[in-house]
Amino acid sequence: MNSIWRNKNFLLLWAGNSVSVLGSRFYMIAVMWYIIQETGSSMALGISVLCFTIPSVLLMPIGGVLADRNMKKQLMAGTDFINGILMMIISCLIYSHSLLFFVYTTIVISSSVSAFFSPANSAAIPLIVGKEQLSKANSLTQVTSQLSNILGPALAGILISATDIWILFVMNGISFLISACSELFISIPNVDEQHSRNKLLSQLQEGLKFVLNYRSLLHLIVVGGIIINFFLAPLQVYITMICSKVIHTGPRGMGFVDASISIGALIGSMIIYMQFFKDKIKMVIFGLSIEGLSLLIGGIFVHHYVAIIACALILGLGISLASVGISTLFQTLVPDEKRGRVGSVLSTLSTFIVPFGTLFGSFIIVHVSIGSMMILSGVMVALSGISLLVPFVFKKRVQPSQFKNTF
C-alpha cells in the first residue's frame, strides 16, 4: 500500500487547498469587519450571509453534474483562478470606498463560482487517493481546515489592526492563484462518461433518483445533511449569548470557546489519521453521540465556564469524527461516475438548512432558556447518530454496485 505522502496528485491538491482555505478565513473575517465598520448594521451582515449562501444553493446541483464529467481539474483550477481575480477586484472596490452594492455583487459572483469547485473537489479526491487512503486524505484536509480555523481569525485580526483591510483581500486572491497553479499539475483518473451526454435536467434527476433508491445513503444524508446541520447551525449564537449574557466572559472568553472546538476537531483529525477507527459507520455514530453528549452536558452546566470549555473540546472532537466519517462513507458508497451529482445533493441540503437552523435557534432562545435548547439539541443529535445503526448495522447494507447500471 503506497503512502499518501508519496501521492503527488493529492499533495498538490491538498497543499493548494490549504493555502486557499487560510486565505478564505482572512476573507470571511475581513468582509464581516468591513461591512460592520461601514454600516454598523446587523441587517447588512445578514445580507452578506445571503450573498454567500443563495448562489451555492442554486448552482451547486449544476456543479455536481459537471463534476461527474472528466473535467474536474479544469473546474477546480478555473474556479480558483476566477476567484483570485475577483478577490483583487474586491480589494480595489474597498480601497476606493465604492458603494457596498458593488462589494455584495462581487461576493455573489465569487460564491457562484465556488459552487462549481466543491463538487469537483469532493469527486476528485477518491479518484486520486483510492478507497484505502480515503480516510487519511479526508483527515489531513480536516487538519488544515481546523488549523485555519484556529490561526485564521487571530492572524486576520492582527493584520486588520496593523494594515489596511483591502490587503487581506489581496492575500486571499494570491492564495486562490497559488491553489489554481498547483491544480494545473494534478492528474485525475477518468470515469465512465456514458451518461454525460444526457440533458442537464435528466442528469440532475438521475442523481436525486439514486439517492432516493439507495435507502442507506438517503438515511445518511438526512442525518448528516439536514438534522445535524439544523441543530448545530445556531451553535455560534448560543456561544455568543452564553459568553455575553450568562457567564459574562466577554469576547476573549468567547474566543477561547471557539478555539476549544477547533482544537478538539484537530485532535479528532489526528485520531482519524492514525486509523484508530477501522469501521467508519462506528466512527460516525460515536462522533455524533459525543457531540450530543457534549451539548447536553453543556446545557446542564451552562453557568460554568470550565464546563463549557471542556464540552467545546469534546464537541469539536465529535464534529471531526462525524464529519470525516460521513464524507468518507459517502465517497465510498457512491459510484465514481455519480459522485459529483449525488454530492451536490448533500452539499445543497447542508447549505440550505443552515440559515433556517440559525433563525430557529435565534428565535427559540427568546422564549426558552439556552440551557434547555442545548439539552434538546444534544438529545436530537445523539439520537440521529444512533439511528444510523438501523440501515448500516441492523439491516444488510445495499451495495452501490447494484445501482451502477440503473439509469
Side-chain angles (χ1 to χ4, degrees):
M1 184 183 298
N2 292 327
S3 169
I4 198 167
W5 297 106
R6 295 180 181 177
N7 189 324
K8 182 200 74 173
N9 294 316
F10 172 73
L11 292 178
L12 284 169
L13 181 60
W14 179 56
N17 284 353
S18 298
V19 173
S20 66
V21 165
L22 181 59
S24 294
R25 294 294 181 272
F26 289 177
Y27 168 57
M28 293 297 296
I29 297 294
V31 165
M32 297 299 180
W33 187 258
Y34 175 76
I35 290 173
I36 201 67
Q37 289 295 106
E38 288 292 307
T39 67
S41 168
S42 59
M43 182 64 71
L45 283 177
I47 293 173
S48 72
V49 172
L50 293 177
C51 290
F52 283 115
T53 304
I54 292 176
S56 296
V57 172
L58 296 178
L59 295 176
M60 203 171 286
I62 300 173
V65 171
L66 296 178
D68 282 335
R69 302 178 181 180
N70 293 318
M71 54 187 298
K72 298 173 183 65
K73 180 171 79 171
Q74 293 88 334
L75 281 171
M76 290 189 293
T79 53
D80 272 347
F81 178 78
I82 294 170
N83 265 328
I85 301 301
L86 288 170
M87 290 304 110
M88 300 301 179
I89 293 173
I90 293 180
S91 69
C92 293
L93 291 171
I94 291 175
Y95 179 79
S96 61
H97 298 284
S98 297
L99 292 174
L100 196 57
F101 168 79
F102 296 112
V103 176
Y104 283 145
T105 302
T106 314
I107 292 173
V108 168
I109 298 171
S110 176
S111 298
S112 300
V113 170
S114 297
F116 293 88
F117 176 89
S118 298
N121 184 64
S122 179
I125 290 176
L127 296 173
I128 291 174
V129 302
K131 290 184 178 180
E132 66 278 359
Q133 296 287 350
L134 190 53
S135 183
K136 281 191 173 183
N138 287 332
S139 68
L140 286 173
T141 302
Q142 185 76 252
V143 165
T144 53
S145 177
Q146 296 306 327
L147 283 174
S148 296
N149 286 339
I150 296 169
L151 297 175
L155 292 175
I158 293 171
L159 288 169
I160 290 172
S161 301
T163 65
D164 291 325
I165 198 168
W166 61 269
I167 293 176
L168 276 76
F169 294 91
V170 172
M171 294 175 70
N172 189 33
I174 293 172
S175 75
F176 273 120
L177 295 176
I178 291 172
S179 181
C181 290
S182 70
E183 287 152 0
L184 290 174
F185 297 95
I186 295 171
S187 176
I188 302 174
N190 290 334
V191 297
D192 181 13
E193 282 193 313
Q194 61 178 330
H195 301 293
S196 65
R197 295 185 182 90
N198 295 342
K199 292 182 179 180
L200 179 63
L201 182 59
S202 175
Q203 293 181 67
L204 288 172
Q205 290 173 339
E206 287 176 7
L208 185 58
K209 189 175 180 181
F210 179 88
V211 172
L212 294 175
N213 285 330
Y214 194 171
R215 297 301 175 84
S216 299
L217 181 63
L218 178 61
H219 194 119
L220 182 68
I221 288 176
V222 169
V223 169
I226 299 178
I227 298 175
I228 303 304
N229 278 301
F230 182 83
F231 284 101
L232 289 185
L235 183 62
Q236 191 59 54
V237 175
Y238 299 159
I239 292 172
T240 303
M241 293 298 293
I242 289 170
C243 291
S244 63
K245 303 294 185 182
V246 179
I247 51 181
H248 306 289
T249 61
R252 180 176 295 183
M254 185 177 70
F256 280 123
V257 175
D258 288 336
S260 296
I261 294 174
S262 295
I263 291 169
L266 185 61
I267 294 170
S269 300
M270 297 307 297
I271 290 173
I272 297 166
Y273 180 78
M274 293 184 290
Q275 296 186 315
F276 184 82
F277 288 93
K278 302 295 183 183
D279 188 326
K280 296 302 175 288
I281 187 60
K282 290 180 180 177
M283 182 170 82
V284 173
I285 293 171
F286 178 76
L288 292 176
S289 297
I290 64 172
E291 277 185 49
L293 184 63
S294 66
L295 288 169
L296 191 152
I297 295 174
I300 295 172
F301 296 99
V302 72
H303 294 279
H304 300 274
Y305 184 60
V306 174
I308 294 296
I309 290 289
C311 289
L313 281 167
I314 298 170
L315 178 65
L317 174 64
I319 289 173
S320 180
L321 296 176
S323 62
V324 172
I326 289 171
S327 297
T328 305
L329 270 175
F330 163 78
Q331 292 167 327
T332 305
L333 293 171
V334 181
D336 293 341
E337 69 274 10
K338 292 184 173 69
R339 194 171 288 123
R341 281 168 286 175
V342 178
S344 67
V345 173
L346 175 59
S347 299
T348 300
L349 285 174
S350 301
T351 304
F352 180 75
I353 204 68
V354 166
F356 291 98
T358 303
L359 288 173
F360 172 78
S362 302
F363 171 78
I364 205 70
I365 58 173
V366 175
H367 306 281
V368 179
S369 70
I370 296 176
S372 299
M373 196 58 208
M374 288 180 66
I375 291 171
L376 174 63
S377 298
V379 171
M380 293 302 298
V381 169
L383 289 177
S384 297
I386 294 170
S387 75
L388 291 171
L389 288 169
V390 176
F392 286 97
V393 178
F394 296 152
K395 292 183 179 179
K396 185 179 179 181
R397 185 174 5 177
V398 181
Q399 296 298 323
S401 58
Q402 292 177 250
F403 292 91
K404 277 194 173 184
N405 299 316
T406 303
F407 310 111

